[in-house]
Amino acid sequence: MSTSESDDILIRRAQENPAAFEPLYERYVAQVYAYAYYRVGNVQDAEDITARTFYQALTHLSRYTNRGVPFSAWLFRIAHNLVSNWHRDNGRRQTYPLDIVLDTPDPSASLAERAEVNEETRRLWAVIRTLPPERQQLLVLKFVDELSTEQIAVIMGRSEGAVKALLHRTLVAIRHQLTQVA
Amino acid sequence: MNNQADTQWVDLLHVAKEIRRSVQPVRPSAGFQSHLRSDLATALGAERRDLPLEVYAQRQVTPAVVLAGCLGLAAVSVALILLRGHSARQ
């Protein structure tokens, strides 16, 4: 990700001339895609959500002002709303294959080790998928997009303390479920 | 009690580490990125063509328009001063 120019400069430029939106797109497309992929679990829907996120951002960019919500958080909020709609529309179709995760094991590992890692990953994500949506959102922002607690707090509209507490409760719940499964 | 709390923290850190380890970096394909970039550019062109004229006019605030406005105001001010002077003489 290029950090040569701040988001504020790029946004001002894009607001004056929407054709200058591309650097913002280049900066965030991978992060938004990763977020969408880990929330819906398949490439096709992740691409669709990513595309819709950037369409909406482009359409509403002229109205965006940084009132304590950085551009990245604004983008993730758009993506989050689209993911929520996707879950609402696909509530009965719980398909989370996470193909890429399971198809890209460490090539230096033996077949047995790869199978074991795949099984652990499958078990872990099967547990994560049973968590309430906001906890899944928190885990993806934290471990997939590697955002800071401060950034996550802005995206989720909570205090940093509340995010830390939610993360703690979420890890406790996962540990509890994993021990039950084992 | 402390030992139990410590054990719990160690367990939670282990869970966090497992989640981090299970995450593989995913990236959108080059083809998808290229299509989306192109679609956004197309949408942008369409949006510009669809702009209502009055909105388009509002966006045309060029330095020349500002200068013309200032000159107009200056002309009106001079005319008012001249009128006031003329009235005072009468």
Side-chain angles (χ1 to χ4, degrees), chain A residues 53-109:
Chain A
T53 300
F54 282 96
Y55 279 129
Q56 287 198 16
L58 182 61
T59 306
H60 300 297
L61 188 67
S62 58
R63 280 187 261 157
Y64 169 78
T65 48
N66 184 348
R67 290 185 186 137
V69 179
F71 179 74
S72 56
W74 185 66
L75 260 187
F76 275 109
R77 282 185 180 179
I78 295 174
H80 168 68
N81 289 337
L82 292 168
V83 166
S84 298
N85 291 345
W86 183 90
H87 279 288
R88 190 196 58 211
D89 296 342
N90 297 274
R92 289 177 192 161
R93 191 164 59 91
Q94 295 287 328
T95 51
Y96 301 111
L98 280 174
D99 304 328
I100 294 175
V101 172
L102 300 176
D103 287 348
T104 53
D106 178 4
S108 64

CSV table of all heavy atoms in Angstrom, one decimal, chain A residues 53-109:
chain,number,residue,atom,x,y,z
A,53,THR,N,-18.9,-2.1,-3.2
A,53,THR,CA,-18.4,-1.2,-2.2
A,53,THR,C,-17.8,0.0,-2.9
A,53,THR,O,-18.0,1.2,-2.5
A,53,THR,CB,-17.3,-1.9,-1.3
A,53,THR,OG1,-17.9,-3.0,-0.7
A,53,THR,CG2,-16.7,-0.9,-0.3
A,54,PHE,N,-17.0,-0.3,-4.0
A,54,PHE,CA,-16.3,0.9,-4.6
A,54,PHE,C,-17.3,1.7,-5.5
A,54,PHE,O,-17.1,2.9,-5.6
A,54,PHE,CB,-15.1,0.3,-5.4
A,54,PHE,CG,-13.9,0.1,-4.5
A,54,PHE,CD1,-13.7,-1.2,-4.1
A,54,PHE,CD2,-13.1,1.1,-4.1
A,54,PHE,CE1,-12.6,-1.5,-3.2
A,54,PHE,CE2,-12.0,0.9,-3.3
A,54,PHE,CZ,-11.8,-0.4,-2.8
A,55,TYR,N,-18.3,1.1,-6.1
A,55,TYR,CA,-19.3,1.8,-6.8
A,55,TYR,C,-20.0,2.8,-5.8
A,55,TYR,O,-20.1,4.0,-6.1
A,55,TYR,CB,-20.4,0.9,-7.4
A,55,TYR,CG,-20.0,0.2,-8.6
A,55,TYR,CD1,-20.2,-1.2,-8.8
A,55,TYR,CD2,-19.6,0.9,-9.7
A,55,TYR,CE1,-19.8,-1.8,-10.0
A,55,TYR,CE2,-19.2,0.3,-10.9
A,55,TYR,CZ,-19.4,-1.1,-11.0
A,55,TYR,OH,-19.0,-1.7,-12.2
A,56,GLN,N,-20.4,2.3,-4.7
A,56,GLN,CA,-21.0,3.2,-3.7
A,56,GLN,C,-20.1,4.3,-3.2
A,56,GLN,O,-20.5,5.4,-3.0
A,56,GLN,CB,-21.5,2.4,-2.5
A,56,GLN,CG,-22.7,1.5,-2.8
A,56,GLN,CD,-23.5,1.0,-1.6
A,56,GLN,OE1,-23.3,1.6,-0.5
A,56,GLN,NE2,-24.4,0.1,-1.8
A,57,ALA,N,-18.8,3.9,-3.0
A,57,ALA,CA,-17.9,4.9,-2.5
A,57,ALA,C,-17.7,6.0,-3.5
A,57,ALA,O,-17.7,7.2,-3.2
A,57,ALA,CB,-16.5,4.3,-2.2
A,58,LEU,N,-17.6,5.6,-4.8
A,58,LEU,CA,-17.4,6.6,-5.9
A,58,LEU,C,-18.7,7.5,-6.0
A,58,LEU,O,-18.6,8.7,-6.2
A,58,LEU,CB,-17.2,5.8,-7.2
A,58,LEU,CG,-17.0,6.7,-8.5
A,58,LEU,CD1,-15.7,7.5,-8.3
A,58,LEU,CD2,-16.8,5.8,-9.7
A,59,THR,N,-19.8,6.9,-5.9
A,59,THR,CA,-21.1,7.6,-6.1
A,59,THR,C,-21.3,8.6,-4.9
A,59,THR,O,-21.8,9.7,-5.2
A,59,THR,CB,-22.3,6.6,-6.0
A,59,THR,OG1,-22.1,5.6,-7.0
A,59,THR,CG2,-23.6,7.3,-6.3
A,60,HIS,N,-20.9,8.3,-3.7
A,60,HIS,CA,-21.1,9.2,-2.6
A,60,HIS,C,-19.9,9.9,-2.1
A,60,HIS,O,-20.0,10.6,-1.1
A,60,HIS,CB,-21.7,8.3,-1.4
A,60,HIS,CG,-23.0,7.6,-1.7
A,60,HIS,ND1,-24.1,8.3,-2.1
A,60,HIS,CD2,-23.3,6.3,-1.9
A,60,HIS,CE1,-25.1,7.4,-2.3
A,60,HIS,NE2,-24.6,6.2,-2.2
A,61,LEU,N,-18.8,9.8,-2.9
A,61,LEU,CA,-17.6,10.5,-2.4
A,61,LEU,C,-17.7,12.0,-2.2
A,61,LEU,O,-17.1,12.5,-1.3
A,61,LEU,CB,-16.5,10.2,-3.5
A,61,LEU,CG,-15.1,10.6,-3.0
A,61,LEU,CD1,-14.6,9.8,-1.9
A,61,LEU,CD2,-14.1,10.5,-4.2
A,62,SER,N,-18.5,12.6,-3.1
A,62,SER,CA,-18.7,14.1,-2.9
A,62,SER,C,-19.2,14.5,-1.6
A,62,SER,O,-19.0,15.6,-1.1
A,62,SER,CB,-19.5,14.6,-4.1
A,62,SER,OG,-20.8,14.0,-4.0
A,63,ARG,N,-20.0,13.6,-1.0
A,63,ARG,CA,-20.6,13.9,0.3
A,63,ARG,C,-19.8,13.5,1.5
A,63,ARG,O,-20.1,13.8,2.6
A,63,ARG,CB,-22.0,13.1,0.4
A,63,ARG,CG,-23.1,13.8,-0.3
A,63,ARG,CD,-24.4,13.2,0.0
A,63,ARG,NE,-24.7,12.3,-1.1
A,63,ARG,CZ,-25.6,11.2,-1.0
A,63,ARG,NH1,-26.1,11.0,0.2
A,63,ARG,NH2,-25.9,10.5,-2.0
A,64,TYR,N,-18.6,12.8,1.2
A,64,TYR,CA,-17.8,12.3,2.3
A,64,TYR,C,-17.0,13.4,3.0
A,64,TYR,O,-16.4,14.2,2.3
A,64,TYR,CB,-16.8,11.2,1.9
A,64,TYR,CG,-15.8,10.9,2.9
A,64,TYR,CD1,-16.1,10.1,4.0
A,64,TYR,CD2,-14.5,11.5,2.8
A,64,TYR,CE1,-15.1,9.8,4.9
A,64,TYR,CE2,-13.6,11.2,3.8
A,64,TYR,CZ,-13.9,10.4,4.9
A,64,TYR,OH,-12.9,10.2,5.8
A,65,THR,N,-17.1,13.5,4.3
A,65,THR,CA,-16.2,14.4,5.0
A,65,THR,C,-15.7,13.7,6.2
A,65,THR,O,-16.4,12.9,6.8
A,65,THR,CB,-17.0,15.7,5.6
A,65,THR,OG1,-18.2,15.2,6.2
A,65,THR,CG2,-17.3,16.7,4.5
A,66,ASN,N,-14.4,13.9,6.5
A,66,ASN,CA,-13.7,13.2,7.6
A,66,ASN,C,-14.1,13.8,9.0
A,66,ASN,O,-13.4,14.6,9.5
A,66,ASN,CB,-12.2,13.2,7.4
A,66,ASN,CG,-11.5,12.4,8.4
A,66,ASN,OD1,-12.1,11.9,9.4
A,66,ASN,ND2,-10.2,12.1,8.2
A,67,ARG,N,-15.2,13.3,9.5
A,67,ARG,CA,-15.6,13.8,10.8
A,67,ARG,C,-15.3,12.7,11.8
A,67,ARG,O,-16.2,12.1,12.4
A,67,ARG,CB,-17.1,14.2,10.8
A,67,ARG,CG,-17.5,15.4,10.0
A,67,ARG,CD,-18.9,15.8,10.2
A,67,ARG,NE,-19.2,16.9,9.3
A,67,ARG,CZ,-20.3,16.9,8.5
A,67,ARG,NH1,-21.2,16.0,8.6
A,67,ARG,NH2,-20.5,17.9,7.7
A,68,GLY,N,-14.1,12.5,12.0
A,68,GLY,CA,-13.6,11.4,12.9
A,68,GLY,C,-13.7,10.0,12.4
A,68,GLY,O,-13.4,9.0,13.0
A,69,VAL,N,-14.3,9.9,11.1
A,69,VAL,CA,-14.3,8.6,10.5
A,69,VAL,C,-13.4,8.6,9.3
A,69,VAL,O,-13.8,9.2,8.2
A,69,VAL,CB,-15.8,8.2,10.1
A,69,VAL,CG1,-15.8,6.9,9.4
A,69,VAL,CG2,-16.7,8.2,11.3
A,70,PRO,N,-12.2,8.0,9.4
A,70,PRO,CA,-11.3,8.1,8.2
A,70,PRO,C,-11.9,7.4,7.0
A,70,PRO,O,-12.8,6.6,7.1
A,70,PRO,CB,-10.1,7.3,8.7
A,70,PRO,CG,-10.2,7.2,10.2
A,70,PRO,CD,-11.7,7.3,10.5
A,71,PHE,N,-11.4,7.7,5.8
A,71,PHE,CA,-11.9,7.1,4.6
A,71,PHE,C,-11.9,5.6,4.6
A,71,PHE,O,-12.9,5.0,4.2
A,71,PHE,CB,-11.0,7.6,3.4
A,71,PHE,CG,-11.5,7.1,2.1
A,71,PHE,CD1,-12.7,7.5,1.5
A,71,PHE,CD2,-10.8,6.1,1.4
A,71,PHE,CE1,-13.1,7.0,0.3
A,71,PHE,CE2,-11.2,5.5,0.2
A,71,PHE,CZ,-12.4,6.0,-0.4
A,72,SER,N,-10.8,5.0,5.2
A,72,SER,CA,-10.8,3.5,5.2
A,72,SER,C,-11.9,2.9,6.1
A,72,SER,O,-12.6,2.0,5.7
A,72,SER,CB,-9.4,3.0,5.8
A,72,SER,OG,-9.2,3.6,7.1
A,73,ALA,N,-12.2,3.6,7.2
A,73,ALA,CA,-13.3,3.1,8.0
A,73,ALA,C,-14.7,3.3,7.3
A,73,ALA,O,-15.5,2.4,7.4
A,73,ALA,CB,-13.3,3.9,9.3
A,74,TRP,N,-14.8,4.4,6.6
A,74,TRP,CA,-16.0,4.7,5.8
A,74,TRP,C,-16.2,3.5,4.8
A,74,TRP,O,-17.3,3.0,4.6
A,74,TRP,CB,-15.9,6.0,5.1
A,74,TRP,CG,-17.0,6.5,4.4
A,74,TRP,CD1,-18.2,6.9,4.9
A,74,TRP,CD2,-17.1,6.8,3.0
A,74,TRP,NE1,-19.1,7.3,3.9
A,74,TRP,CE2,-18.4,7.3,2.7
A,74,TRP,CE3,-16.2,6.6,1.9
A,74,TRP,CZ2,-18.8,7.6,1.4
A,74,TRP,CZ3,-16.6,7.0,0.6
A,74,TRP,CH2,-17.9,7.5,0.4
A,75,LEU,N,-15.1,3.2,4.1
A,75,LEU,CA,-15.2,2.1,3.1
A,75,LEU,C,-15.6,0.8,3.7
A,75,LEU,O,-16.4,0.0,3.2
A,75,LEU,CB,-13.8,1.9,2.5
A,75,LEU,CG,-13.5,2.5,1.1
A,75,LEU,CD1,-12.1,2.0,0.7
A,75,LEU,CD2,-14.5,2.2,0.1
A,76,PHE,N,-14.9,0.4,4.9
A,76,PHE,CA,-15.3,-0.8,5.6
A,76,PHE,C,-16.7,-0.8,6.0
A,76,PHE,O,-17.3,-1.9,6.1
A,76,PHE,CB,-14.3,-1.1,6.7
A,76,PHE,CG,-13.0,-1.7,6.3
A,76,PHE,CD1,-11.8,-1.0,6.3
A,76,PHE,CD2,-13.0,-3.0,5.9
A,76,PHE,CE1,-10.6,-1.6,5.9
A,76,PHE,CE2,-11.8,-3.7,5.5
A,76,PHE,CZ,-10.6,-2.9,5.5
A,77,ARG,N,-17.2,0.3,6.4
A,77,ARG,CA,-18.6,0.4,6.8
A,77,ARG,C,-19.6,0.1,5.7
A,77,ARG,O,-20.6,-0.6,5.8
A,77,ARG,CB,-19.0,1.8,7.4
A,77,ARG,CG,-18.5,2.0,8.8
A,77,ARG,CD,-18.9,3.3,9.4
A,77,ARG,NE,-18.5,3.5,10.7
A,77,ARG,CZ,-18.7,4.6,11.4
A,77,ARG,NH1,-19.5,5.6,10.9
A,77,ARG,NH2,-18.3,4.7,12.7
A,78,ILE,N,-19.2,0.6,4.5
A,78,ILE,CA,-20.0,0.3,3.3
A,78,ILE,C,-19.9,-1.2,3.0
A,78,ILE,O,-21.0,-1.9,2.8
A,78,ILE,CB,-19.5,1.1,2.0
A,78,ILE,CG1,-19.6,2.6,2.2
A,78,ILE,CG2,-20.2,0.6,0.8
A,78,ILE,CD1,-19.0,3.4,1.1
A,79,ALA,N,-18.7,-1.8,3.1
A,79,ALA,CA,-18.5,-3.2,2.8
A,79,ALA,C,-19.3,-4.0,3.9
A,79,ALA,O,-20.0,-5.0,3.5
A,79,ALA,CB,-17.0,-3.6,2.9
A,80,HIS,N,-19.3,-3.6,5.1
A,80,HIS,CA,-20.0,-4.3,6.2
A,80,HIS,C,-21.5,-4.3,5.9
A,80,HIS,O,-22.1,-5.3,6.1
A,80,HIS,CB,-19.7,-3.6,7.5
A,80,HIS,CG,-20.5,-4.1,8.6
A,80,HIS,ND1,-20.5,-5.4,9.1
A,80,HIS,CD2,-21.6,-3.5,9.3
A,80,HIS,CE1,-21.4,-5.6,10.1
A,80,HIS,NE2,-22.0,-4.4,10.2
A,81,ASN,N,-22.0,-3.2,5.5
A,81,ASN,CA,-23.5,-3.1,5.2
A,81,ASN,C,-23.8,-4.1,4.1
A,81,ASN,O,-24.9,-4.8,4.2
A,81,ASN,CB,-23.9,-1.7,4.9
A,81,ASN,CG,-23.9,-0.8,6.1
A,81,ASN,OD1,-24.0,-1.3,7.2
A,81,ASN,ND2,-23.7,0.5,5.9
A,82,LEU,N,-23.0,-4.2,3.1
A,82,LEU,CA,-23.2,-5.1,2.0
A,82,LEU,C,-23.1,-6.5,2.4
A,82,LEU,O,-23.9,-7.4,2.0
A,82,LEU,CB,-22.3,-4.8,0.8
A,82,LEU,CG,-22.5,-3.4,0.1
A,82,LEU,CD1,-21.3,-3.1,-0.8
A,82,LEU,CD2,-23.8,-3.4,-0.7
A,83,VAL,N,-22.1,-6.8,3.3
A,83,VAL,CA,-22.0,-8.2,3.8
A,83,VAL,C,-23.2,-8.5,4.6
A,83,VAL,O,-23.8,-9.6,4.5
A,83,VAL,CB,-20.7,-8.3,4.6
A,83,VAL,CG1,-20.7,-9.6,5.5
A,83,VAL,CG2,-19.5,-8.3,3.8
A,84,SER,N,-23.7,-7.6,5.4
A,84,SER,CA,-24.9,-7.8,6.3
A,84,SER,C,-26.1,-8.2,5.4
A,84,SER,O,-26.9,-9.1,5.7
A,84,SER,CB,-25.2,-6.6,7.1
A,84,SER,OG,-24.2,-6.4,8.0
A,85,ASN,N,-26.2,-7.4,4.3
A,85,ASN,CA,-27.3,-7.6,3.3
A,85,ASN,C,-27.2,-9.0,2.7
A,85,ASN,O,-28.2,-9.8,2.6
A,85,ASN,CB,-27.4,-6.6,2.2
A,85,ASN,CG,-27.7,-5.2,2.7
A,85,ASN,OD1,-28.3,-5.1,3.8
A,85,ASN,ND2,-27.5,-4.2,1.9
A,86,TRP,N,-25.9,-9.4,2.4
A,86,TRP,CA,-25.7,-10.7,1.8
A,86,TRP,C,-26.1,-11.8,2.8
A,86,TRP,O,-26.7,-12.8,2.4
A,86,TRP,CB,-24.2,-10.8,1.5
A,86,TRP,CG,-23.8,-12.1,0.8
A,86,TRP,CD1,-23.8,-12.3,-0.6
A,86,TRP,CD2,-23.5,-13.3,1.4
A,86,TRP,NE1,-23.5,-13.6,-0.8
A,86,TRP,CE2,-23.2,-14.3,0.3
A,86,TRP,CE3,-23.3,-13.8,2.7
A,86,TRP,CZ2,-22.8,-15.6,0.6
A,86,TRP,CZ3,-22.9,-15.1,2.9
A,86,TRP,CH2,-22.7,-16.0,1.9
A,87,HIS,N,-25.7,-11.7,4.0
A,87,HIS,CA,-26.1,-12.7,5.0
A,87,HIS,C,-27.6,-12.7,5.2
A,87,HIS,O,-28.2,-13.8,5.4
A,87,HIS,CB,-25.4,-12.4,6.4
A,87,HIS,CG,-24.0,-12.9,6.4
A,87,HIS,ND1,-23.6,-14.2,6.5
A,87,HIS,CD2,-22.8,-12.2,6.3
A,87,HIS,CE1,-22.3,-14.3,6.4
A,87,HIS,NE2,-21.8,-13.1,6.4
A,88,ARG,N,-28.3,-11.6,5.2
A,88,ARG,CA,-29.7,-11.5,5.3
A,88,ARG,C,-30.4,-12.3,4.1
A,88,ARG,O,-31.3,-13.1,4.3
A,88,ARG,CB,-30.2,-10.1,5.3
A,88,ARG,CG,-31.7,-9.9,5.7
A,88,ARG,CD,-32.1,-8.5,5.4
A,88,ARG,NE,-31.9,-8.3,3.9
A,88,ARG,CZ,-31.7,-7.1,3.4
A,88,ARG,NH1,-31.6,-6.1,4.1
A,88,ARG,NH2,-31.6,-7.0,2.1
A,89,ASP,N,-29.8,-12.0,2.9
A,89,ASP,CA,-30.4,-12.7,1.7
A,89,ASP,C,-30.1,-14.1,1.6
A,89,ASP,O,-30.8,-14.9,0.9
A,89,ASP,CB,-30.0,-11.9,0.4
A,89,ASP,CG,-30.4,-10.5,0.4
A,89,ASP,OD1,-31.4,-10.2,1.2
A,89,ASP,OD2,-29.9,-9.7,-0.3
A,90,ASN,N,-28.9,-14.5,2.2
A,90,ASN,CA,-28.5,-15.9,2.1
A,90,ASN,C,-28.5,-16.6,3.4
A,90,ASN,O,-27.8,-17.6,3.7
A,90,ASN,CB,-27.1,-16.0,1.6
A,90,ASN,CG,-27.0,-15.4,0.1
A,90,ASN,OD1,-27.2,-16.1,-0.8
A,90,ASN,ND2,-26.7,-14.1,0.1
A,91,GLY,N,-29.4,-16.2,4.3
A,91,GLY,CA,-29.5,-16.7,5.7
A,91,GLY,C,-29.6,-18.2,5.7
A,91,GLY,O,-29.1,-18.9,6.6
A,92,ARG,N,-30.4,-18.8,4.8
A,92,ARG,CA,-30.6,-20.2,4.8
A,92,ARG,C,-29.6,-21.0,4.0
A,92,ARG,O,-29.6,-22.2,4.0
A,92,ARG,CB,-32.0,-20.5,4.3
A,92,ARG,CG,-33.1,-20.1,5.2
A,92,ARG,CD,-34.4,-20.3,4.6
A,92,ARG,NE,-35.4,-19.6,5.4
A,92,ARG,CZ,-36.6,-19.3,4.9
A,92,ARG,NH1,-37.0,-19.6,3.7
A,92,ARG,NH2,-37.5,-18.6,5.7
A,93,ARG,N,-28.7,-20.3,3.3
A,93,ARG,CA,-27.7,-21.0,2.5
A,93,ARG,C,-26.3,-20.8,3.1
A,93,ARG,O,-25.6,-20.0,2.7
A,93,ARG,CB,-27.8,-20.4,1.1
A,93,ARG,CG,-27.0,-21.2,0.1
A,93,ARG,CD,-27.4,-20.9,-1.3
A,93,ARG,NE,-27.1,-19.5,-1.6
A,93,ARG,CZ,-26.0,-19.0,-2.1
A,93,ARG,NH1,-25.0,-19.8,-2.4
A,93,ARG,NH2,-25.9,-17.7,-2.4
A,94,GLN,N,-26.1,-21.5,4.2
A,94,GLN,CA,-24.8,-21.3,4.9
A,94,GLN,C,-23.7,-22.1,4.2
A,94,GLN,O,-23.3,-23.2,4.6
A,94,GLN,CB,-25.0,-21.8,6.4
A,94,GLN,CG,-26.0,-21.0,7.2
A,94,GLN,CD,-25.4,-19.7,7.6
A,94,GLN,OE1,-24.2,-19.5,7.8
A,94,GLN,NE2,-26.3,-18.7,7.7
A,95,THR,N,-23.1,-21.5,3.2
A,95,THR,CA,-22.0,-22.1,2.5
A,95,THR,C,-20.7,-21.3,2.7
A,95,THR,O,-20.6,-20.1,2.3
A,95,THR,CB,-22.3,-22.2,1.0
A,95,THR,OG1,-22.7,-20.9,0.5
A,95,THR,CG2,-23.4,-23.2,0.8
A,96,TYR,N,-19.8,-21.8,3.4
A,96,TYR,CA,-18.5,-21.1,3.7
A,96,TYR,C,-17.3,-22.0,3.3
A,96,TYR,O,-16.7,-22.5,4.2
A,96,TYR,CB,-18.4,-20.7,5.2
A,96,TYR,CG,-19.5,-19.8,5.6
A,96,TYR,CD1,-20.4,-20.3,6.5
A,96,TYR,CD2,-19.6,-18.5,5.2
A,96,TYR,CE1,-21.4,-19.5,7.0
A,96,TYR,CE2,-20.6,-17.7,5.7
A,96,TYR,CZ,-21.5,-18.2,6.6
A,96,TYR,OH,-22.5,-17.4,7.0
A,97,PRO,N,-17.1,-22.2,2.0
A,97,PRO,CA,-16.1,-23.2,1.7
A,97,PRO,C,-14.6,-22.7,2.0
A,97,PRO,O,-13.8,-23.5,2.3
A,97,PRO,CB,-16.3,-23.4,0.2
A,97,PRO,CG,-17.1,-22.3,-0.3
A,97,PRO,CD,-17.8,-21.7,0.9
A,98,LEU,N,-14.4,-21.4,2.0
A,98,LEU,CA,-13.1,-20.8,2.2
A,98,LEU,C,-12.1,-21.6,1.4
A,98,LEU,O,-11.1,-22.1,1.9
A,98,LEU,CB,-12.7,-20.9,3.7
A,98,LEU,CG,-13.3,-19.7,4.5
A,98,LEU,CD1,-13.0,-20.0,6.0
A,98,LEU,CD2,-12.8,-18.4,4.1
A,99,ASP,N,-12.3,-21.7,0.1
A,99,ASP,CA,-11.5,-22.5,-0.8
A,99,ASP,C,-10.0,-22.1,-0.8
A,99,ASP,O,-9.2,-23.0,-0.7
A,99,ASP,CB,-12.0,-22.3,-2.3
A,99,ASP,CG,-13.5,-22.7,-2.4
A,99,ASP,OD1,-13.9,-23.6,-1.7
A,99,ASP,OD2,-14.1,-22.1,-3.3
A,100,ILE,N,-9.8,-20.8,-0.9
A,100,ILE,CA,-8.4,-20.4,-1.0
A,100,ILE,C,-7.6,-20.8,0.3
A,100,ILE,O,-6.5,-21.3,0.2
A,100,ILE,CB,-8.3,-18.9,-1.2
A,100,ILE,CG1,-8.9,-18.5,-2.5
A,100,ILE,CG2,-6.9,-18.4,-1.1
A,100,ILE,CD1,-9.0,-17.1,-2.8
A,101,VAL,N,-8.2,-20.6,1.4
A,101,VAL,CA,-7.5,-20.9,2.7
A,101,VAL,C,-7.1,-22.4,2.7
A,101,VAL,O,-6.0,-22.7,3.1
A,101,VAL,CB,-8.4,-20.6,3.9
A,101,VAL,CG1,-7.8,-21.2,5.2
A,101,VAL,CG2,-8.7,-19.1,4.0
A,102,LEU,N,-8.0,-23.2,2.3
A,102,LEU,CA,-7.7,-24.7,2.4
A,102,LEU,C,-6.9,-25.2,1.2
A,102,LEU,O,-6.4,-26.3,1.2
A,102,LEU,CB,-9.0,-25.4,2.4
A,102,LEU,CG,-9.9,-25.1,3.7
A,102,LEU,CD1,-11.2,-25.8,3.6
A,102,LEU,CD2,-9.2,-25.4,5.0
A,103,ASP,N,-6.8,-24.4,0.1
A,103,ASP,CA,-6.1,-24.9,-1.0
A,103,ASP,C,-4.7,-24.3,-1.1
A,103,ASP,O,-3.9,-24.6,-2.1
A,103,ASP,CB,-6.8,-24.5,-2.3
A,103,ASP,CG,-8.1,-25.3,-2.5
A,103,ASP,OD1,-8.2,-26.3,-1.8
A,103,ASP,OD2,-8.9,-25.0,-3.4
A,104,THR,N,-4.2,-23.5,-0.1
A,104,THR,CA,-2.9,-23.0,-0.2
A,104,THR,C,-2.1,-23.3,1.1
A,104,THR,O,-1.7,-22.4,1.8
A,104,THR,CB,-2.9,-21.5,-0.4
A,104,THR,OG1,-3.8,-20.9,0.7
A,104,THR,CG2,-3.4,-21.1,-1.7
A,105,PRO,N,-1.9,-24.6,1.4
A,105,PRO,CA,-1.1,-24.9,2.5
A,105,PRO,C,0.4,-24.7,2.3
A,105,PRO,O,0.8,-24.5,1.2
A,105,PRO,CB,-1.4,-26.4,2.7
A,105,PRO,CG,-1.7,-26.9,1.3
A,105,PRO,CD,-2.3,-25.8,0.6
A,106,ASP,N,1.1,-24.7,3.4
A,106,ASP,CA,2.6,-24.5,3.3
A,106,ASP,C,3.2,-25.6,2.4
A,106,ASP,O,3.1,-26.8,2.7
A,106,ASP,CB,3.1,-24.6,4.7
A,106,ASP,CG,4.7,-24.4,4.7
A,106,ASP,OD1,5.2,-24.2,3.6
A,106,ASP,OD2,5.2,-24.6,5.8
A,107,PRO,N,3.8,-25.3,1.3
A,107,PRO,CA,4.3,-26.3,0.3
A,107,PRO,C,5.5,-27.1,0.9
A,107,PRO,O,5.8,-28.2,0.5
A,107,PRO,CB,4.8,-25.5,-0.9
A,107,PRO,CG,4.9,-24.1,-0.4
A,107,PRO,CD,4.0,-23.9,0.8
A,108,SER,N,6.2,-26.5,1.9
A,108,SER,CA,7.3,-27.2,2.5
A,108,SER,C,6.9,-28.3,3.5
A,108,SER,O,7.7,-29.2,3.9
A,108,SER,CB,8.2,-26.2,3.2
A,108,SER,OG,7.6,-25.7,4.3
A,109,ALA,N,5.6,-28.3,3.9
A,109,ALA,CA,5.1,-29.3,4.9
A,109,ALA,C,4.8,-30.6,4.2
A,109,ALA,O,4.6,-30.7,3.0
A,109,ALA,CB,3.8,-28.8,5.5
